[in-house]
Amino acid sequence: DWEEAFAFIAERLLWLKDKYGPKTLAIYHGEGVGHQEIKYYMKRFANVYRTPNFCGVGSLCNASRTIAETLTFGGLTKPDVPNTRFLMVWGGNPLISNEPFIPGEISRLKKRGGKLVVIDPRKTETASKANIHLPIRPGCDEILILNMLHVIFREDLWDKVFTAEWVNGFNNLFETVSADRFSPENGQAVTGISPDLVRQVARAYARTKPAGIFTGNGLEHQSFGVQTMRLLAILKAITGNLDVPGGDLFTPRPKLNDMTAPLPAPAILPIGSETCPLFCQARQEAHALSLAEAILDERPYPIKAMIIAGGNPTIEWPNSNRTRQALPKLEFLTLIDVVRSPDSQYADVVLPACTFLERDEHRVNVYQNLPYITLRRKVVEPVRGLPDQMIWVRLAHHMGFGEYFPWQSCEEGIDYLLEELGITYRDLISKGGIYEYEKRRYKKYEKNGFPNATGKIELY
């Protein structure tokens, strides 16, 4: 039963902590957990246990974009699709992927005469609706962006007023990318895209106001994801499409209570700090793709145990054979999931989490450009599993960490997270499940600058 399972896991984790030290435990969340409050409970547990090796799917996914745009703008953007006249969908297929508002908006874009360009190696469902489809060779996106920037520079198409006032390092970029080596003609051998088509798209994007770029995971799942996403951020910046209606908008996150920091962070560097220092420093977590080496080769130090929630590393991570070798070598592995995942065959304990229909949680909707907190309420009581949040709370109590996990329900956890905003779970219900924490304002940089050291966009 649940009590026996929690007691067994607690006994094993405490034994491993005494024998090898707390840093030898890694805690990983997959996309099943990634954008929800569950990861806050997980990070809090890692901090109390004193391991620096909390990590997640961001190691191979959205973190590259977050880091790139933060380095460039000081924040993250999403396109204002309902108000744009030109939408470039790059490395994504939003007509059938997890973007709930995009399919209808693309249809309305086409009806009002807007243009849709899709850049993808395959002719996806979204590409079949496009005015122009650029079938790029996989992994060559950074070359295509440079080719487009070359056209914009050579043909004098950038936004000179915005660039002069708000961009640092423009001259360095201009001198480099204007060189012949970055011409669409030279890029064709790499990208497979004809120079005429590159020029057509670059001109249309630079001349159409407003224009937005929707990026999918295709750009993030690459060896040079951060640099590719930085180039795309530069493309948005020099064309003056930032924080304007129909362009690429900044939607700030709400101020929530920091559930992840009950104790000072461990002084030990997380796994991945040597190979991916920027990632580990920016995210304050381990780099998941370095864990297999730590398990198999014990470099830079061994990982002896893992807890995996809402993920399946052997089919998610690159170099899957090595991951399949690594998981069985662990001295202890616990999985938390709603299904019997392939990696459950390696686990000592599998804990059944309940589905989203059986738990309460809050959502922050910045990925839809909405400054809203919404409430997802359970429809039925859990049939077999437990809410992920309560799995971590109950495990913490069995570990002797109860004072750091005082919440008896998901509702109490939500109240704690929302405390800084002065609202509660019950307040959200009374507001129909939607709370607007900030009104939409455009061109916020005109008042406060961009949120980085210089207050400007950093290209160089």
Side-chain angles (χ1 to χ4, degrees):
D1 61 18
W2 279 99
E3 291 303 306
E4 181 184 4
F6 285 133
F8 177 69
I9 296 169
E11 183 274 326
R12 291 294 293 167
L13 291 181
L14 290 171
W15 176 81
L16 285 159
K17 185 178 184 181
D18 287 341
K19 183 175 181 179
Y20 299 111
K23 67 182 180 182
T24 58
L25 171 67
I27 298 175
Y28 174 79
H29 71 80
E31 181 63 18
V33 170
H35 299 295
Q36 301 167 43
E37 66 190 46
I38 296 163
K39 63 182 182 292
Y40 302 145
Y41 289 79
M42 296 174 66
K43 180 69 184 298
R44 187 179 183 92
F45 184 94
N47 287 1
V48 175
Y49 188 86
R50 306 298 285 158
T51 178
N53 292 312
F54 168 83
C55 56
V57 68
S59 298
L60 61 152
C61 192
N62 69 296
S64 59
R65 177 164 169 249
T66 303
I67 291 171
E69 293 208 344
T70 302
L71 286 170
T72 311
F73 309 139
L76 193 65
T77 64
K78 290 288 280 188
D80 181 14
V81 181
N83 297 304
T84 197
R85 294 181 57 221
F86 184 102
L87 181 65
M88 189 144 47
V89 175
W90 204 315
N93 189 20
L95 284 186
I96 63 163
S97 64
N98 62 339
E99 297 291 337
F101 308 115
I102 297 293
E105 293 299 344
I106 285 179
S107 177
R108 286 185 278 274
L109 168 72
K110 299 292 291 296
K111 286 179 180 177
R112 65 177 182 264
K115 301 301 180 186
L116 175 65
V117 172
V118 174
I119 300 163
D120 201 291
R122 300 182 304 122
K123 189 165 186 178
T124 62
E125 289 81 354
T126 309
S128 68
K129 304 290 185 183
N131 299 94
I132 300 174
H133 170 219
L134 303 183
I136 190 170
R137 289 177 182 152
C140 301
D141 302 86
E142 72 277 10
I143 303 300
L144 181 56
I145 303 169
L146 286 162
N147 295 160
M148 289 184 178
L149 288 168
H150 175 92
V151 173
I152 291 169
F153 290 153
R154 283 289 190 94
E155 299 188 10
D156 213 27
L157 299 176
W158 72 94
D159 187 320
K160 297 174 184 59
V161 174
F162 178 84
T163 302
E165 185 170 357
W166 293 108
V167 172
N168 275 335
F170 179 83
N171 291 337
N172 302 86
L173 181 76
F174 181 89
E175 291 171 9
T176 301
V177 182
S178 296
D180 289 340
R181 62 181 291 224
F182 291 116
S183 70
E185 287 73 17
N186 285 329
Q188 183 177 11
V190 180
T191 65
I193 308 296
S194 75
D196 289 344
L197 209 50
V198 174
R199 293 179 189 281
Q200 182 183 349
V201 171
R203 289 165 182 160
Y205 172 69
R207 288 170 175 164
T208 307
K209 303 293 183 186
I213 301 178
F214 176 95
T215 54
N217 297 132
L219 285 179
E220 299 165 348
H221 294 180
Q222 295 187 21
S223 298
F224 301 99
V226 172
Q227 301 299 2
T228 300
M229 298 304 297
R230 231 173 96 65
L231 284 168
L232 207 58
I234 288 169
L235 188 63
K236 297 175 186 179
I238 67 160
T239 50
N241 283 302
L242 287 177
D243 221 25
V244 296
D248 292 284
L249 303 180
F250 297 98
T251 302
R253 289 184 171 276
K255 186 173 177 56
L256 301 178
N257 255 349
D258 184 5
M259 184 182 277
T260 68
L263 291 171
I268 307 159
L269 289 176
I271 295 292
S273 294
E274 295 179 1
T275 52
C276 305
L278 175 61
F279 174 91
C280 294
Q281 181 180 348
R283 303 276 291 193
Q284 293 294 294
E285 62 184 58
H287 197 288
L289 303 189
S290 300
L291 289 178
E293 183 178 31
I295 296 168
L296 292 171
D297 304 330
E298 300 192 347
R299 295 201 311 261
Y301 53 81
I303 292 294
K304 296 291 187 179
M306 281 188 72
I307 304 176
I308 299 171
N312 196 75
T314 60
I315 59 173
E316 287 175 5
W317 297 357
N319 204 347
S320 53
N321 285 336
R322 191 156 171 81
T323 307
R324 278 193 289 271
Q325 294 168 16
L327 292 189
K329 191 182 175 184
L330 290 165
E331 293 203 19
F332 188 66
L333 174 62
T334 293
L335 251 66
I336 304 170
D337 216 317
V338 297
V339 295
R340 186 186 296 275
S341 69
D343 283 355
S344 62
Q345 64 182 306
Y346 307 117
D348 298 280
V349 182
V350 178
L351 299 179
C354 65
T355 69
F356 70 94
L357 296 169
E358 302 167 289
R359 68 170 184 256
D360 293 315
E361 65 185 358
H362 87 287
R363 307 281 291 189
V364 176
N365 297 276
V366 296
Y367 281 96
Q368 282 78 44
N369 268 337
L370 299 172
Y372 301 155
I373 291 172
T374 53
L375 181 65
R376 175 184 280 168
R377 298 178 69 190
K378 64 184 175 185
V379 178
V380 295
E381 291 298 322
V383 175
R384 178 180 58 184
L386 285 175
D388 284 79
Q389 301 96 312
M390 293 300 104
I391 288 176
W392 290 96
V393 168
R394 288 179 62 178
L395 177 58
H397 279 257
H398 278 79
M399 296 280 295
F401 302 156
E403 65 181 296
Y404 297 108
F405 290 82
W407 311 287
Q408 299 300 311
S409 66
C410 296
E411 177 181 339
E412 289 184 15
I414 292 169
D415 283 346
Y416 175 83
L417 287 164
L418 302 182
E419 194 174 52
E420 290 281 321
L421 295 171
I423 62 168
T424 66
Y425 172 91
R426 291 294 162 188
D427 292 333
L428 279 177
I429 293 175
S430 70
K431 296 175 184 294
I434 301 173
Y435 172 71
E436 185 178 15
Y437 57 85
E438 183 172 301
K439 294 293 184 183
R440 166 66 64 195
R441 294 179 294 116
Y442 299 104
K443 294 188 177 182
K444 293 180 286 295
Y445 56 84
E446 291 184 341
K447 181 178 180 181
N448 303 315
F450 288 89
N452 53 34
T454 63
K456 295 187 177 184
I457 294 167
E458 300 292 347
L459 304 191
Y460 181 74

